[in-house]
Amino acid sequence: MSNAKAQTACFILLGLSQFFVPYVCSLSSTGRTGAMSKPKKCVVIGAGWGGLSAAHAISKSSKDNWEVTVIDAASRPGGLVRDGFKSTSGERNAEAGQHGFWDCYANIYSLLFDDLKLPDNEILSQYAEQGQYSPRGLEAVWPIYRDQLKLPTGLGQALFTRFLNLPLTDIASAWPLVLAFSEFDDSEAAWKKYDEVSFRDLCVKLGVSKRCYDEAFEPMILTGLFAPGRECSAAAALGMAYFFVLRSQTAFDVRWCRGNIGEKIFEPWVDQMKGNGVEFMPSTRVIGFHPVEGQDTIQSIECVNVADGTTSTMEADCVVFAVGANALNTFVSRSPFLARYPDFTKFSNLRGTSVLATRLYFDKAIPTTYSANACWGFDDGVGMTFFDIKKIHGDDAPAVKGTPGSVIEVDFYHADPLIVLNDDEIISRVKSYLDKMLGNPSKDANVLDAAIVRLPKGVNWYFPGSYASMPSIKSTSLSNVYFAGDIVRSRHGSWSQEKAYVTGIEAANAILGRNGDEGIIPLEADEPHVNAGRIASTAFRSLLGGGDAGKGPSLVDFLW
């Protein structure tokens, strides 16, 4: 070949390469002919456990081309449990409560130690005994159940929990509740049946003594579901109690965060997600939703920055609502577009209940026998807990460093009567309660500083009949809308932070077209005697229902 012909051939090949190389690359990146595929946009509303979990699960999927943005009205991620609050003097950082991680939080433990690789003993306390107080003083002690002889669940808790004043005859009156726990299997049918009645009414009908209810069950419901038993669904109470107390003998063993949860857990988690491309928009409130014309789909979201008032509009291929009951209610009431749709209209039935978190800094050390304590009998219909923060965090932890005496957290649930008080009135009341429980050392100590955090309607309220209004993982009305959080229906069986985290993964799985339980650690199977009780309950209802357990009467039908 002559030099001229060779040169011409080279130019032809070079020209062809300019066309074919981008074409072949586009095939490898999109799997089809045409230009590079445009990333899909997922907007997550809410930066609590559910929202962060959904963003985390989507951003970890390297094979899916998604851009994830998390919007939250607060200045820092974390939702209700975030930190970033200040004491009344402005000198100390505080957070909304002290945060625990129970034995059944398998998915959150996997996040902390397998995914984020956080140092175990630096972020969580060791297991410890817990106390229960009333105005009379110490009432009960919960041991470290994993340190006791292993017994069938229920029996172990009954034998090893030390009630100091509650008579054995009153404790024995609770045994008929075994019938309800045997029948309530967390199924849709069980939820619908037991959600019709309150937990207090169920206990009364089953013959639980008033004293046993008032001193054992009511404090558990007030601190676990944040409302008195007369105002809580029996389904929610049975589900919560089984998860936290009865699933296994060790279910109630708990470890506490050794510092402000924002610094210890949320900051490294958010940093990892930012490294995976997740964008965070704090101090941003969602004020509107714009549909695709003629379709039941959200096309964009209108936001406002709460700091400077600037507005922005974000396109969205999918939207995850990861907010609580009160926020869902508010979105519907302020959005004519959302109010058109049945599964959003029912959110107007949902509501929240209030939390008051206080942290008192003393000039002297106040001895406490137990670092974590539940309380009852101080304010009617109000739940209460208190924590010795120095014992949990350590004397040199940033949250307590430089404080000469004790730092005690006292939190109240269903606290509407308290959050209306001014700071001085709240501090005085909290101090008087500690004086009753802890005696002269508390009376002799002075409050140097205090943090008061009011969260009106801040936590979900599982009132009787609320289940019908709760969202499912995927909207039935809007094709690109999903939900995450502990108000969302889920068959996983978990509660509180663990449930919020799990539903975030479930929402991500639905968005990505995966199996619903992919990447989720299931709860351990029921213990044999529990399973046997449930089989017997089903068989009995099947017998009465002519071979169909669904048509047979439940315990609720017999009692009412």
Side-chain angles (χ1 to χ4, degrees):
M1 182 183 293
S2 67
N3 288 339
K5 289 182 178 180
Q7 191 174 29
T8 301
C10 286
F11 278 122
I12 292 172
L13 290 173
L14 181 62
L16 289 172
S17 71
Q18 298 300 308
F19 173 76
F20 279 110
V21 170
Y23 178 75
V24 172
C25 288
S26 73
L27 286 176
S28 65
S29 63
T30 66
R32 56 183 174 80
T33 59
M36 292 281 287
S37 63
K38 183 181 178 182
K40 290 175 281 188
K41 299 179 184 295
C42 177
V43 176
V44 179
I45 304 172
W49 281 102
L52 295 179
S53 172
H56 179 69
I58 295 171
S59 67
K60 284 201 310 180
S61 178
S62 58
K63 66 179 181 179
D64 297 292
N65 195 14
W66 283 92
E67 292 179 354
V68 182
T69 302
V70 180
I71 301 173
D72 197 90
S75 59
R76 295 163 64 91
L80 174 68
V81 300
R82 68 188 183 274
D83 59 1
F85 300 99
K86 288 287 187 181
S87 65
T88 54
S89 69
E91 297 177 358
R92 295 175 172 88
N93 295 325
E95 59 183 332
Q98 174 61 42
H99 308 294
F101 298 84
W102 274 260
D103 196 57
C104 294
Y105 280 21
N107 289 279
I108 288 182
Y109 281 126
S110 179
L111 166 73
L112 300 183
F113 305 129
D114 298 334
D115 200 337
L116 299 179
K117 302 190 184 306
L118 299 177
D120 186 330
N121 293 330
E122 289 184 20
I123 65 164
L124 297 182
S125 69
Q126 294 302 306
Y127 295 105
E129 290 189 328
Q130 304 172 72
Q132 184 192 64
Y133 283 83
S134 79
R136 299 190 303 243
L138 184 65
E139 295 282 353
V141 177
W142 294 293
I144 304 173
Y145 291 97
R146 64 197 338 97
D147 290 347
Q148 314 303 314
L149 175 68
K150 183 171 175 53
L151 297 173
T153 187
L155 179 61
Q157 292 90 321
L159 291 179
F160 299 135
T161 304
R162 304 195 296 275
F163 288 100
L164 306 183
N165 300 308
L166 187 61
L168 186 59
T169 52
D170 288 285
I171 296 172
S173 73
W175 280 103
L177 276 171
V178 170
L179 297 173
F181 280 109
S182 296
E183 186 174 72
F184 185 81
D185 58 1
D186 201 47
S187 65
E188 183 86 1
W191 262 95
K192 288 180 178 178
K193 182 61 67 174
Y194 279 87
D195 192 56
E196 296 174 355
V197 301
S198 76
F199 181 66
R200 184 182 182 280
D201 286 345
L202 178 65
C203 289
V204 170
K205 289 284 189 178
L206 287 173
V208 177
S209 75
K210 184 178 186 303
R211 185 168 180 183
C212 181
Y213 178 82
D214 289 343
E215 298 184 14
F217 290 112
E218 183 75 343
M220 176 185 69
I221 299 302
L222 278 166
T223 55
L225 292 178
F226 313 117
R230 64 180 179 271
E231 299 175 22
C232 280
S233 153
L238 292 171
M240 180 275 296
Y242 186 67
F243 175 72
F244 279 116
V245 181
L246 293 173
R247 177 161 284 279
S248 70
Q249 180 176 303
T250 63
F252 199 61
D253 287 343
V254 59
R255 303 178 68 186
W256 302 97
C257 186
R258 297 192 64 204
N260 286 354
I261 194 169
E263 298 169 0
K264 292 289 185 178
I265 294 174
F266 289 121
E267 281 185 10
W269 192 11
V270 168
D271 287 344
Q272 186 192 77
M273 282 190 275
K274 286 180 178 178
N276 289 334
V278 177
E279 180 184 359
F280 287 85
M281 294 178 62
S283 303
T284 302
R285 191 180 303 279
V286 174
I287 58 174
F289 302 90
H290 305 293
V292 176
E293 187 173 352
Q295 298 182 31
D296 297 323
T297 304
I298 293 177
Q299 182 179 48
S300 61
I301 296 173
E302 188 175 353
C303 307
V304 61
N305 186 291
V306 297
D308 59 22
T310 57
T311 59
S312 59
T313 300
M314 298 189 60
E315 292 184 359
D317 293 293
C318 74
V319 179
V320 179
F321 286 86
V323 296
N326 195 57
L328 283 174
N329 185 317
T330 301
F331 278 134
V332 174
S333 66
R334 296 179 180 177
S335 172
F337 166 65
L338 294 180
R340 298 180 204 165
Y341 297 98
D343 63 339
F344 277 86
T345 303
K346 67 184 182 182
F347 298 158
S348 60
N349 298 322
L350 299 175
R351 53 190 186 269
T353 183
S354 301
V355 172
L356 172 66
T358 72
R359 186 169 291 186
L360 272 55
Y361 302 82
F362 290 94
D363 63 345
K364 297 177 182 177
I366 302 172
T368 56
T369 306
Y370 307 102
S371 57
N373 306 270
C375 312
W376 57 266
F378 289 89
D379 292 285
D380 184 44
V382 177
M384 177 177 158
T385 53
F386 82 87
F387 305 90
D388 187 327
I389 298 300
K390 279 194 174 181
K391 274 190 175 180
I392 294 172
H393 291 196
D395 290 340
D396 295 328
V400 299
K401 196 170 184 178
T403 303
S406 293
V407 179
I408 297 181
E409 175 91 20
V410 185
D411 299 330
F412 300 88
Y413 317 96
H414 199 244
D416 284 321
L418 301 181
I419 63 172
V420 296
L421 303 177
N422 64 42
D423 287 355
D424 289 339
E425 290 171 329
I426 290 172
I427 293 168
S428 176
R429 181 174 295 212
V430 172
K431 175 66 162 57
S432 71
Y433 292 167
L434 291 174
D435 291 348
K436 285 184 179 179
M437 292 184 287
L438 302 178
N440 289 332
S442 178
K443 294 176 183 177
D444 294 339
N446 298 305
V447 178
L448 298 177
D449 198 2
I452 310 294
V453 179
R454 297 173 178 84
L455 299 169
K457 314 302 179 188
V459 295
N460 298 321
W461 189 345
Y462 301 91
F463 55 88
S466 59
Y467 184 72
S469 299
M470 293 179 190
S472 300
I473 292 294
K474 190 177 190 310
S475 170
T476 57
S477 300
L478 294 172
S479 61
N480 66 337
V481 169
Y482 304 82
F483 299 93
D486 61 354
I487 195 67
V488 177
R489 300 185 190 191
S490 171
R491 298 278 75 86
H492 181 260
S494 51
W495 274 86
S496 193
Q497 297 168 117
E498 176 78 354
K499 181 184 178 183
Y501 181 78
V502 165
T503 57
I505 302 175
E506 290 179 334
N509 287 341
I511 291 167
L512 299 174
R514 299 171 174 170
N515 291 330
D517 59 358
E518 184 171 333
I520 297 172
I521 302 171
L523 293 176
E524 293 182 2
D526 293 330
E527 292 189 10
H529 65 294
V530 175
N531 189 50
R534 289 189 168 157
I535 291 173
S537 174
T538 301
F540 182 69
R541 284 183 286 116
S542 181
L543 177 65
L544 297 181
D548 185 348
K551 294 181 180 179
S554 75
L555 179 64
V556 172
D557 296 316
F558 280 113
L559 295 175
W560 273 268

